[in-house]
Amino acid sequence: MKTSLSVNINKIATLRNARGENRPSVLQAAEDCQRFGADGITVHPRPDERHIRRTDVLQLRPVVHKEFNIEGYPSPEFMQLVLQVKPEQVTLVPDAPDAITSSAGWDVEAHFDELSAIAERLTAAGIRCSIFVDADPAAVRAAARAGADRVELYTKPYADLFPSDPERAVAPFVEAARAAHSAGIGVNAGHDLNLENLHFFASRVPHLNEVSIGHAIICDALYLGLEETIRRYRKALEK
């Protein structure tokens, strides 16, 4: 099974916002990423619009001709936006409004009724629902019961342990992916995946549908160029 690469372009917007103008353009970045081989584009709009803005999301919809994945905390404002834009996938994350980046998956059981209702709304709108979880089979199975089509596994613990013990680092993710497959849902992954640890992860974790990577890709692109960077990430995903 081919694992898709979705490029998160939040950092392009961060750089643009530093000058208050439109360079670099997030629309051009999305077009270029797709042209260079990305299978999709991810954005994570936050309430303070410190990187991706609501207007960016609206303008990106006709530009993203592959898969559009919108991540975010399912506030009323976020749900209004995604139901208007209708991306191919919405990834629900439990971030507080002021969070710098995602730092944990959902406690699905504690938020089961809320997540079930949101998954039902997304499904009714024809949008794939992914729930961001830790590499915990119980959380994966709960997400499936809540109506998720996929889970996104939070991979920072893997990235942190990988340099010293890659086999131990990947083991919980193998188990979680198997639990997802047994529950009949797909598997995405993201956070701190990079050119050093991605191939090992993708080659060990079964049933891996998609990885979403942003910060590392943009950092590597400063030295390698965006086209070469995406080529290398796509190569790293080959089994």
Side-chain angles (χ1 to χ4, degrees), residues 31 79 131 177-178 181 200:
E31 291 178 335
M79 291 302 296
I131 296 180
R178 288 174 176 160
H181 186 69
F200 186 86

Side-chain angles (χ1 to χ4, degrees), residues 52-132:
I52 289 291
R53 301 168 180 157
R54 181 185 178 91
T55 53
D56 293 328
V57 178
L58 296 171
Q59 292 168 4
L60 280 164
R61 174 65 285 187
V63 169
V64 180
H65 58 269
K66 294 189 177 179
E67 181 178 282
F68 196 13
N69 173 47
I70 304 179
E71 302 177 342
Y73 180 81
S75 65
E77 295 77 16
F78 177 84
M79 291 302 296
Q80 180 185 34
L81 177 62
V82 299
L83 290 172
Q84 178 183 355
V85 173
K86 292 191 176 180
E88 283 71 30
Q89 178 173 267
V90 166
T91 301
L92 306 175
V93 298
D95 292 357
D98 59 348
I100 295 175
T101 187
S102 301
S103 58
W106 284 96
D107 182 339
V108 182
E109 291 289 1
H111 298 273
F112 189 84
D113 291 343
E114 174 191 359
L115 291 171
S116 296
I118 292 166
E120 185 176 359
R121 291 179 68 190
L122 293 172
T123 299
I127 302 168
R128 183 195 308 136
C129 174
S130 177
I131 296 180
F132 193 69

Side-chain angles (χ1 to χ4, degrees), residues 3-5 198-199 202 211 232-239:
T3 300
S4 297
L5 173 66
L198 179 59
H199 179 72
V211 294
R232 293 193 188 190
Y233 276 83
R234 283 245 40 89
K235 183 71 174 176
L237 287 171
E238 293 179 3
K239 299 296 188 291

Side-chain angles (χ1 to χ4, degrees), residues 159-171:
D160 289 346
L161 186 55
F162 174 80
S164 61
D165 195 340
E167 292 292 352
R168 188 158 67 93
V170 82

Side-chain angles (χ1 to χ4, degrees), residues 10 46 94 105 148 202 218:
N10 277 14
R46 296 182 182 274
I218 302 308

